[in-house]
Amino acid sequence: MSKLEIHQIPVLSDNYVYLFRDPDSGQVGVVDPAVAGPVLDKLKELGWTLTHIINTHHHPDHTGANLELKEKTGCTIVGAKNDAARIPGIDIKIEDGDIFEFGGATAKVFEVPGHTVGHIAYWFAESEALFCGDTLFALGCGRLFEGTPAQMWKSIGKFRNLPDSTRVYCAHEYTEANGRFAVSVDPKNDALKKRFARIVEMRRNKQPTVPSTLGEEKATNPFMRADDPVLASELHLSGADPVEVFAETRRRKDSF
């Protein structure tokens, strides 16, 4: 089992695309390429040849460069079996529980509906890397465009079972805005307040706040803590089902 070399590429206004290489095989993947230019530039800089596109979901800011990159490199496109019709150029169709082999590295595939009904995530255990698209963000989660609060809470629950050291390679730099909201619904969380202060300083210095770790998210992200009695109390939902707490948290975020 080998560990991936991972590079973060900022694109558009706030997207992150991830380029990674398996040192054993030399295979190179890119996660959710929104646009081709920055990916091709980074490949040239590193001297790498793209072999795979790894998609988490169908939105154009995650699949927009699929066909151009495939045409220019001959790469293979990997995506969700149950959403294959909306993944441009898909070649390999995967589903929940599958093990995706990438040279000497392997990823466990999770179906994580909520943001979209066909969203998936990839966990490379040896690399301590979770590519989660728009399901989980640093201090936030994706809007529920197609799924339900119950689906999203269950999806996030799959991530809560992974090791705290896992790095969360989410797809957007939303952390400062997410943190401002998180503090508003969880004002007694000292770990959150300290983290938010660091985030504000990082953004002031134009530093990325991503990746975070699952340990940080479990302690400070309200969307991972819908079963925490303290958060429920702050939302005036003491004793409520976690799905209800999650739904209320998401509702407030949508209008924050």
Side-chain angles (χ1 to χ4, degrees), residues 143-158:
R143 285 180 179 266
L144 305 185
F145 288 123
E146 298 176 4
T148 66
Q151 286 178 312
M152 190 63 130
W153 175 240
K154 182 178 180 182
S155 294
I156 288 174
K158 295 180 179 182

Side-chain angles (χ1 to χ4, degrees), residues 104-175:
T106 59
K108 183 174 181 180
V109 177
F110 297 99
E111 289 181 358
V112 284
H115 181 64
T116 68
V117 294
H119 205 301
I120 57 175
Y122 305 77
W123 175 48
F124 288 87
E126 283 292 315
S127 300
E128 297 184 307
L130 175 67
F131 296 104
C132 54
D134 288 357
T135 297
L136 183 68
F137 296 130
L139 288 178
C141 76
R143 285 180 179 266
L144 305 185
F145 288 123
E146 298 176 4
T148 66
Q151 286 178 312
M152 190 63 130
W153 175 240
K154 182 178 180 182
S155 294
I156 288 174
K158 295 180 179 182
F159 300 155
R160 298 206 311 171
N161 294 326
L162 301 181
D164 287 357
S165 57
T166 302
R167 292 187 297 274
V168 179
Y169 289 97
C170 63
H172 291 276
E173 182 59 70
Y174 291 162
T175 317

Side-chain angles (χ1 to χ4, degrees), residues 2 41 75-76 100 122 172 190 200 212 224 251 253:
S2 60
D41 289 347
C75 64
T76 298
F100 172 62
Y122 305 77
H172 291 276
D190 289 338
V200 170
S212 60
M224 295 201 86
R251 185 192 68 78
K253 178 64 170 68

